[in-house]
Amino acid sequence: MEIVGFCVFLQSQNKVYIKYNRIIVMAKELKDLTKRSENYSQWYNDLVVKADLAEQSPVRGCMVIKPYGYAIWEKMQRILDDMFKATGHVNAYFPLLIPKSYLSREAEHVEGFAKECAVVTHYRLKNAEDGSGVIVDPAAKLEEELIIRPTSETIIWSTYKNWINSYRDLPILCNQWANVMRWEMRTRLFLRTAEFLWQEGHTAHATREEAETEAQKMLHVYGDFAEKYMAVPVIKGVKSANERFAGALDTYTIEGLMQDGKALQCGTSHFLGQNFAKAFNVQFVDKNNKLDYVWATSWGVSTRLMGALIMTHSDDNGLVLPPHLAPIQVVIVPIYKNDEQLKQIDAKVEGIVAKLRELGISVKYDNADNKRPGFKFADYELKGVPVRLVMGGRDLENNTMEIMRRDTLEKETRTCEGIEEYVKNLLEDIQNNIYQKALNYRNAHIYKVDTYDEFKEQIEKGGFILAHWDGTPETEDRIKEETKATIRCLPFEADEESLTPGVDMVTGKPSARRVLFARAY
Amino acid sequence: MEIVGFCVFLQSQNKVYIKYNRIIVMAKELKDLTKRSENYSQWYNDLVVKADLAEQSPVRGCMVIKPYGYAIWEKMQRILDDMFKATGHVNAYFPLLIPKSYLSREAEHVEGFAKECAVVTHYRLKNAEDGSGVIVDPAAKLEEELIIRPTSETIIWSTYKNWINSYRDLPILCNQWANVMRWEMRTRLFLRTAEFLWQEGHTAHATREEAETEAQKMLHVYGDFAEKYMAVPVIKGVKSANERFAGALDTYTIEGLMQDGKALQCGTSHFLGQNFAKAFNVQFVDKNNKLDYVWATSWGVSTRLMGALIMTHSDDNGLVLPPHLAPIQVVIVPIYKNDEQLKQIDAKVEGIVAKLRELGISVKYDNADNKRPGFKFADYELKGVPVRLVMGGRDLENNTMEIMRRDTLEKETRTCEGIEEYVKNLLEDIQNNIYQKALNYRNAHIYKVDTYDEFKEQIEKGGFILAHWDGTPETEDRIKEETKATIRCLPFEADEESLTPGVDMVTGKPSARRVLFARAY
């Protein structure tokens, strides 16, 4: 083989350049994110890509989740899975493909999903006779088309039919971790993608009450997860009829508020009544020997949570990750003049790394010599590592380290004595601080509004708006059309004034209570 | 609502009956598996379904993995994932759908998978104009068809192209846990299904040697997992050209021997050379500033491992699970005359359960009163729970328990004093015993054969056959056609005689060494 060219890589400040045939071009800008104040949407996209979380794939609307992004998702999965198991749920796996006729059994359900279905029609490729390549074999057409699951109620309830005869078979408390596909036309990394990863719980119960309790219980599990692990404060509530899951009698939701004043639905839980049991004829004999249809719930969170996590905490320097979900909680960077000094720092740091690990802290010691400290600092800031420790020559002499916390960028120098416990406490402090900061922001951006003019004015500025609504889908539709705002939920928790009847801000008709509006992702 | 009928459930021995309108029919046979000696294949299917591992779904060739089966798979996943991470790998996620043109880029690859591709051609459903239901919207035809991944080399290497510029970007050591689809015409639960779950590692390297080392290293990881956790002895080796992965230069394999004398390929690892790098033009600048194509490996194990696990150890009473993978390692069943006695047993057992859990043992105390002890015994035997403890009235008085080990069905009665440590050791003993038993069986069924007549005779009886082969695909094809036997591998480990040149048993041509034949799943 003959070499036909080569290039070299050069680094200066935070940029890497490629030199190829004497031409120098920039290969990678390591930081310099778009600022949030300039273009929030661009800032988000930049950040997702530059922090190595995800990228667009060659398949329209489908993303590649890169190792660093996937490591965060894995932590979320592990914690959620433990929470599901602690509440009595087990995992199972149901088919990816759903016969078209199954999807159609529940009328509202198919109405809700028909427009975004990826359809499998053939099961074989073959070589084109004209030698032009591989084509779909027309002889291998399926008798009935199969849909890539947009959600699995139909395939699961067709299965539950065989599992349920008597009340003794109930409840069934299954969860599935899976990929699903909804053919979205306008996609954004993590927030709205054609394929996404999620978990979907599907439970079957003997009574209406038990199913309703389950749906609410799982919403609270989601709320706890969002607040305790993601440090994302959420408002829990019930959706209006317009915003319900297709086929549900009630949809419960947790709603977060992003830094641009838009709401993000973080997770939903559905009380499905007997709709799917009726669609698939799933009956059971109850304790009194009476035959009845089974009661159902379903509930899910997805890789969309990554979007909520990123947008709630991050800043113009990059990601800010809550310590409970950060793949690397602590990074240690040495600054050294020569190999001898590095050896001394290595020896010193080794013990600290070991003690940090003993405390259950995930730590990375980055003494690679192919990148300069400044580059490393910028990169770990971009990646949201909660705590950075630095040891230089002076530190070595003084038995100290410089500690920087990512959330406030504050630095201090401390003795190495007991630094491990200090870092452990600092991580908890950061977790609490970013939650409190997000909570303060959220609470400062909830507005009570009584006229439609005020509403229109406020909605342009962003935030949650508590306003009166007459309870009709027509008024809701009108508000959405005119202001792009939707009812996020009827919050479970509300002050007395919000629960006092009033009049609809648009129609002047009676309103039972204030409901929560916002523009949303 | 009016009650139009009801039924009652009756249990007698190991059968449950339904009484409906005075007619009594059997609802569920709780045991009474087909015997292995009668019909091994039927025994396997019965067992998978009756032990609640998996069942056929309404979608042709796709299975539902039931919670008990999935719990075993989850244990496998967790252990394998830890092993991958311990060898430096990280997880990521790549799209489910692959553009048809991508699949075609590597000629052998598409040739290998074209015949079993599920093809997505449309992205929307709509209501039929004649009101007959929901149809595929002909206006929503994709410009280019998308294939549900049968494996992800093509989509991943098209992505790696953007990740790799220099040797500094290498190696990339990614793994993905995912579902894949291969449209098989004859399917069997776990062993061969259209959709299955697996992990696929895809690594990129700067040198041929490094890639070859990686492929072999991961095969050894698989081998260790099979032997230490699944208790399935495997023969490691390299595949003949005919049996290679489509697009690989070398395929390494671990091969198990099932109780019916047929081989089961449990996992494979591929050295892909530069084939995919060339197909997707993935080049890098090496340390000497030379441009070269990247070297690749891929490796995978799937839910097929469940089939190997089941067939290696189980018997006519049901599953026999290795303690390292059993979702329930110990079950405790009380036998009591009245509620008072049950309370006393509950109190006694509570402490034992707590101590077992402290030792990291997964234990279930089944004091449910809706099933009789005999039913419970049969059910936990069927489900392969490694150790059963029973406490009855006499035991309560004597401070003893009856211990049964599932692998040998041996029972003994022991004092409760120190029973937890005893059980912990017993679990290790069972793990070793079933491995040793499987190893003895496997070793007793490896035959050296020197003539084709002997070969044909032996292959009917089953087992691994070590025979000489002239190294040509033609001879291999002929043997396969005439005897249904294939070359499972050229084992890495072989005695001196097997590595001594000889003559092909069919053609009489020279043979470098004995290779391993068997009929296979």
Side-chain angles (χ1 to χ4, degrees):
Chain A
M1 194 184 297
E2 184 194 10
I3 298 166
V4 292
F6 67 88
C7 58
V8 295
F9 294 82
L10 309 161
Q11 186 190 328
S12 165
Q13 304 292 343
N14 290 321
K15 298 186 177 64
V16 175
Y17 300 86
I18 295 187
K19 184 177 178 185
Y20 181 71
N21 286 353
R22 294 192 185 170
I23 301 162
I24 297 182
V25 294
M26 199 180 69
K28 196 176 177 187
E29 202 172 348
L30 291 167
K31 227 174 132 185
D32 293 352
L33 288 175
T34 304
K35 287 195 169 27
R36 284 167 297 173
S37 55
E38 279 169 20
N39 185 337
Y40 189 81
S41 170
Q42 188 63 45
W43 164 81
Y44 174 78
N45 283 336
D46 280 7
L47 182 53
V48 170
V49 172
K50 290 189 179 180
D52 278 338
L53 299 176
E55 64 184 36
Q56 293 292 354
S57 80
V59 186
R60 217 197 55 78
C62 296
M63 65 181 159
V64 172
I65 306 179
K66 298 181 77 173
Y68 192 63
Y70 200 84
I72 301 171
W73 175 242
E74 275 184 295
K75 284 209 140 191
M76 290 187 178
Q77 280 190 302
R78 186 73 64 109
I79 295 162
L80 282 165
D81 198 65
D82 286 345
M83 291 173 93
F84 300 154
K85 283 176 178 153
T87 44
H89 301 85
V90 291
N91 289 327
Y93 188 77
F94 298 87
L96 171 72
L97 298 178
I98 299 179
K100 180 166 66 75
S101 59
Y102 279 57
L103 202 70
S104 315
R105 291 260 198 115
E106 213 286 331
E108 286 185 23
H109 190 70
V110 68
E111 186 67 23
F113 288 104
K115 287 186 186 123
E116 46 191 41
C117 284
V119 189
V120 176
T121 56
H122 293 74
Y123 58 85
R124 195 165 60 218
L125 301 175
K126 68 167 193 174
N127 290 315
E129 277 159 28
D130 63 3
S132 62
V134 175
I135 59 167
V136 176
D137 185 347
K141 193 171 188 306
L142 290 170
E143 275 184 42
E144 180 180 4
E145 296 91 347
L146 298 168
I147 312 300
I148 298 181
R149 60 184 163 218
T151 179
S152 301
E153 279 76 7
T154 56
I155 192 80
I156 287 180
W157 279 87
S158 76
T159 305
Y160 281 178
K161 182 175 169 56
N162 303 321
W163 295 6
I164 301 170
N165 288 303
S166 140
Y167 70 93
R168 289 189 196 84
D169 301 320
L170 298 172
I172 294 177
L173 304 172
C174 273
N175 175 60
Q176 147 168 295
W177 290 96
N179 52 346
V180 285
M181 180 77 68
R182 297 177 187 175
W183 207 267
E184 302 276 359
M185 279 303 161
R186 294 195 316 188
T187 62
R188 296 194 61 193
L189 292 166
F190 290 124
L191 296 172
R192 195 173 290 278
T193 48
E195 183 188 13
F196 57 88
L197 303 184
W198 81 344
Q199 60 68 218
E200 46 182 325
H202 294 273
T203 68
H205 305 268
T207 67
R208 176 184 187 112
E209 294 66 36
E210 196 184 299
E212 284 185 325
T213 302
E214 165 80 8
Q216 297 206 14
K217 180 203 284 176
M218 297 321 290
L219 192 81
H220 287 288
V221 166
Y222 289 156
D224 285 352
F225 175 75
E227 301 195 334
K228 291 183 186 158
Y229 295 92
M230 295 173 63
V232 173
V234 291
I235 291 180
K236 296 170 200 159
V238 59
K239 288 280 183 190
S240 62
N242 270 14
E243 299 284 331
R244 258 180 222 143
F245 176 76
L249 297 193
D250 260 322
T251 287
Y252 305 112
T253 182
I254 53 171
E255 300 279 330
L257 188 67
M258 304 299 103
Q259 294 177 55
D260 62 345
K262 283 171 79 176
L264 181 75
Q265 177 180 303
C266 294
T268 50
S269 171
H270 315 293
F271 168 59
L272 302 172
Q274 296 173 312
N275 286 352
F276 287 92
K278 283 177 183 166
F280 290 91
N281 195 28
V282 188
Q283 290 179 290
F284 75 106
V285 180
D286 72 13
K287 280 187 179 167
N288 306 315
N289 263 324
K290 285 185 353 192
L291 209 56
D292 195 6
Y293 288 102
V294 178
W295 298 87
T297 83
S298 67
W299 29 275
V301 293
S302 74
T303 34
R304 195 166 211 235
L305 287 179
M306 294 286 293
L309 186 75
I310 296 160
M311 286 204 286
T312 300
H313 306 300
S314 302
D315 62 25
D316 292 348
N317 293 315
L319 282 180
V320 174
L321 290 178
H324 291 179
L325 294 177
I328 304 167
Q329 295 175 305
V330 177
V331 66
I332 305 178
V333 178
I335 303 182
Y336 52 95
K337 288 194 207 126
N338 49 49
D339 282 0
E340 182 52 37
Q341 200 175 53
L342 177 60
K343 266 187 202 166
Q344 291 177 308
I345 296 176
D346 284 353
K348 181 83 188 163
V349 167
E350 197 183 338
I352 294 169
V353 167
K355 279 190 200 156
L356 286 169
R357 292 206 173 124
E358 267 173 37
L359 294 173
I361 294 166
S362 145
V363 54
K364 177 175 174 178
Y365 178 44
D366 186 354
N367 61 352
D369 63 355
N370 59 351
K371 286 169 195 142
R372 295 187 303 184
F375 176 93
K376 292 179 185 174
F377 292 176
D379 198 40
Y380 293 116
E381 257 176 70
L382 180 64
K383 293 207 165 136
V385 175
V387 172
R388 183 185 80 205
L389 301 177
V390 177
M391 182 172 276
R394 176 79 59 88
D395 291 311
L396 195 60
E397 280 171 26
N398 298 343
N399 192 34
T400 57
M401 283 181 118
E402 185 196 78
I403 304 181
M404 192 192 78
R405 52 188 289 175
R406 176 63 186 86
D407 58 339
T408 60
L409 299 175
E410 286 165 355
K411 289 179 203 169
E412 59 174 323
T413 295
R414 274 190 65 89
T415 168
C416 293
E417 213 59 54
I419 201 164
E420 301 85 2
E421 280 293 340
Y422 182 82
V423 165
K424 188 180 164 75
N425 293 333
L426 182 60
L427 288 169
E428 280 311 304
D429 190 41
I430 294 170
Q431 180 80 28
N432 294 334
N433 180 56
I434 64 172
Y435 174 71
Q436 198 56 49
K437 192 176 159 198
L439 185 64
N440 293 345
Y441 171 83
R442 198 277 308 276
N443 287 345
H445 291 82
I446 304 180
Y447 307 95
K448 282 190 185 175
V449 154
D450 289 314
T451 71
Y452 198 29
D453 281 344
E454 285 176 275
F455 183 89
K456 286 179 186 162
E457 199 183 317
Q458 183 57 52
I459 207 74
E460 291 298 330
K461 297 182 196 156
F464 280 134
I465 300 182
L466 284 166
H468 280 287
W469 164 58
D470 64 17
T472 67
E474 292 75 21
T475 306
E476 194 178 355
D477 283 341
R478 183 178 154 190
I479 295 168
K480 185 174 179 180
E481 201 172 301
E482 291 174 355
T483 69
K484 294 187 192 137
T486 48
I487 297 176
R488 302 317 305 155
C489 67
L490 285 61
F492 292 149
E493 289 182 18
D495 60 30
E496 213 179 303
E497 192 277 338
S498 295
L499 296 174
T500 307
V503 294
D504 182 294
M505 60 175 177
V506 181
T507 63
K509 289 184 189 163
S511 154
R513 57 167 294 177
R514 290 185 190 272
V515 302
L516 193 74
F517 287 90
R519 285 185 182 158
Y521 279 95
Chain B
M1 193 187 296
E2 183 194 11
I3 297 167
V4 293
F6 67 89
C7 59
V8 293
F9 294 81
L10 310 161
Q11 185 191 330
S12 164
Q13 304 293 344
N14 289 322
K15 298 187 177 67
V16 175
Y17 299 87
I18 296 187
K19 184 176 177 184
Y20 180 72
N21 288 352
R22 293 192 185 172
I23 300 161
I24 297 181
V25 293
M26 198 181 69
K28 196 176 177 187
E29 203 170 348
L30 292 167
K31 226 173 129 186
D32 294 351
L33 289 175
T34 305
K35 286 193 170 30
R36 285 167 294 174
S37 55
E38 279 168 20
N39 184 336
Y40 190 81
S41 170
Q42 188 63 44
W43 165 82
Y44 174 78
N45 283 335
D46 281 6
L47 182 51
V48 170
V49 172
K50 291 189 178 180
D52 279 337
L53 299 176
E55 63 185 37
Q56 293 292 355
S57 81
V59 186
R60 215 197 56 78
C62 295
M63 64 181 160
V64 171
I65 305 179
K66 299 182 76 173
Y68 192 64
Y70 200 84
I72 300 170
W73 175 241
E74 275 183 296
K75 285 210 138 191
M76 289 187 179
Q77 280 189 301
R78 186 74 65 111
I79 296 162
L80 281 166
D81 199 66
D82 286 345
M83 292 173 93
F84 300 156
K85 283 175 178 154
T87 43
H89 301 85
V90 291
N91 288 327
Y93 188 77
F94 298 87
L96 170 73
L97 299 177
I98 299 177
K100 179 166 66 78
S101 59
Y102 279 55
L103 202 69
S104 314
R105 292 260 198 113
E106 213 289 331
E108 284 186 22
H109 192 68
V110 68
E111 186 67 25
F113 289 104
K115 287 187 185 126
E116 43 192 42
C117 284
V119 189
V120 177
T121 55
H122 292 75
Y123 58 84
R124 195 163 63 216
L125 301 175
K126 67 167 194 174
N127 290 315
E129 277 158 28
D130 63 5
S132 63
V134 176
I135 60 166
V136 177
D137 185 348
K141 194 169 187 306
L142 290 168
E143 274 183 42
E144 179 181 5
E145 296 91 346
L146 298 168
I147 311 301
I148 298 181
R149 60 182 164 219
T151 179
S152 301
E153 278 77 7
T154 57
I155 191 80
I156 287 180
W157 277 88
S158 76
T159 306
Y160 281 178
K161 181 175 171 55
N162 303 322
W163 296 5
I164 301 169
N165 287 304
S166 140
Y167 70 92
R168 289 188 195 85
D169 301 319
L170 297 171
I172 293 178
L173 304 172
C174 273
N175 175 59
Q176 147 168 294
W177 290 95
N179 52 346
V180 286
M181 180 78 68
R182 297 178 187 175
W183 207 269
E184 302 277 359
M185 279 303 161
R186 292 195 317 187
T187 63
R188 296 195 60 193
L189 292 166
F190 290 124
L191 296 172
R192 195 173 289 277
T193 48
E195 183 190 14
F196 57 89
L197 303 183
W198 79 345
Q199 60 69 219
E200 45 182 326
H202 295 272
T203 68
H205 305 267
T207 66
R208 178 185 185 112
E209 294 65 36
E210 196 184 298
E212 283 185 325
T213 302
E214 164 80 8
Q216 297 205 16
K217 181 204 282 177
M218 297 321 290
L219 192 82
H220 287 289
V221 166
Y222 289 156
D224 285 351
F225 174 75
E227 300 195 336
K228 290 184 188 156
Y229 295 93
M230 296 174 61
V232 172
V234 289
I235 292 179
K236 297 170 201 159
V238 61
K239 289 280 184 192
S240 61
N242 271 12
E243 300 284 331
R244 260 180 221 144
F245 176 76
L249 297 194
D250 261 322
T251 288
Y252 305 112
T253 182
I254 52 171
E255 301 278 330
L257 189 66
M258 304 299 104
Q259 293 178 56
D260 61 345
K262 282 171 78 175
L264 182 76
Q265 177 180 302
C266 294
T268 49
S269 172
H270 316 295
F271 168 60
L272 303 172
Q274 296 174 311
N275 286 351
F276 287 91
K278 285 179 182 166
F280 290 90
N281 194 28
V282 189
Q283 290 180 288
F284 75 107
V285 181
D286 71 14
K287 281 187 178 165
N288 306 316
N289 263 322
K290 287 188 348 193
L291 208 57
D292 195 5
Y293 288 102
V294 178
W295 299 86
T297 84
S298 67
W299 30 274
V301 293
S302 73
T303 35
R304 194 166 211 235
L305 286 179
M306 293 286 293
L309 186 75
I310 296 161
M311 287 202 288
T312 300
H313 306 300
S314 303
D315 62 25
D316 292 349
N317 294 314
L319 283 179
V320 173
L321 290 178
H324 290 178
L325 294 178
I328 303 166
Q329 294 174 306
V330 176
V331 66
I332 305 178
V333 178
I335 302 182
Y336 52 95
K337 286 194 206 124
N338 50 49
D339 282 1
E340 183 52 38
Q341 200 175 53
L342 177 59
K343 267 188 202 166
Q344 291 177 306
I345 296 176
D346 283 352
K348 182 82 189 164
V349 168
E350 197 182 337
I352 294 169
V353 167
K355 279 190 201 156
L356 286 169
R357 291 205 174 125
E358 267 174 39
L359 294 173
I361 294 166
S362 145
V363 54
K364 177 175 176 180
Y365 177 43
D366 186 354
N367 60 354
D369 63 355
N370 60 351
K371 285 170 195 141
R372 296 187 303 185
F375 176 92
K376 292 178 185 176
F377 292 175
D379 198 40
Y380 293 115
E381 257 177 68
L382 180 64
K383 292 206 165 134
V385 175
V387 171
R388 182 184 80 205
L389 301 177
V390 178
M391 183 172 277
R394 176 78 59 90
D395 291 311
L396 196 60
E397 280 172 27
N398 297 344
N399 192 34
T400 57
M401 283 180 117
E402 185 195 78
I403 304 181
M404 191 191 78
R405 53 188 288 175
R406 175 63 185 87
D407 59 338
T408 60
L409 299 175
E410 286 165 356
K411 291 180 205 170
E412 59 173 324
T413 295
R414 273 190 67 88
T415 170
C416 292
E417 213 59 53
I419 201 164
E420 300 86 2
E421 280 293 342
Y422 182 82
V423 165
K424 189 180 164 74
N425 292 333
L426 183 59
L427 288 169
E428 281 310 305
D429 191 41
I430 293 170
Q431 180 80 27
N432 294 334
N433 180 56
I434 64 173
Y435 174 71
Q436 198 55 50
K437 192 175 159 197
L439 184 64
N440 292 345
Y441 170 83
R442 198 275 311 275
N443 288 346
H445 291 81
I446 304 180
Y447 307 95
K448 283 189 183 173
V449 154
D450 290 313
T451 70
Y452 198 29
D453 282 343
E454 284 176 275
F455 183 90
K456 286 179 185 163
E457 199 184 316
Q458 184 57 51
I459 208 73
E460 291 297 330
K461 297 181 195 154
F464 279 132
I465 300 181
L466 283 165
H468 280 286
W469 165 59
D470 63 18
T472 67
E474 293 73 24
T475 306
E476 195 178 353
D477 285 339
R478 181 179 156 190
I479 294 169
K480 185 174 179 181
E481 200 172 301
E482 292 175 355
T483 69
K484 294 184 192 139
T486 48
I487 297 176
R488 303 316 305 156
C489 68
L490 284 62
F492 292 150
E493 290 183 17
D495 59 30
E496 213 179 302
E497 192 277 338
S498 294
L499 296 174
T500 308
V503 294
D504 182 295
M505 60 176 176
V506 182
T507 63
K509 289 184 189 162
S511 154
R513 57 167 293 175
R514 290 184 189 271
V515 303
L516 193 73
F517 287 89
R519 285 184 182 160
Y521 279 94

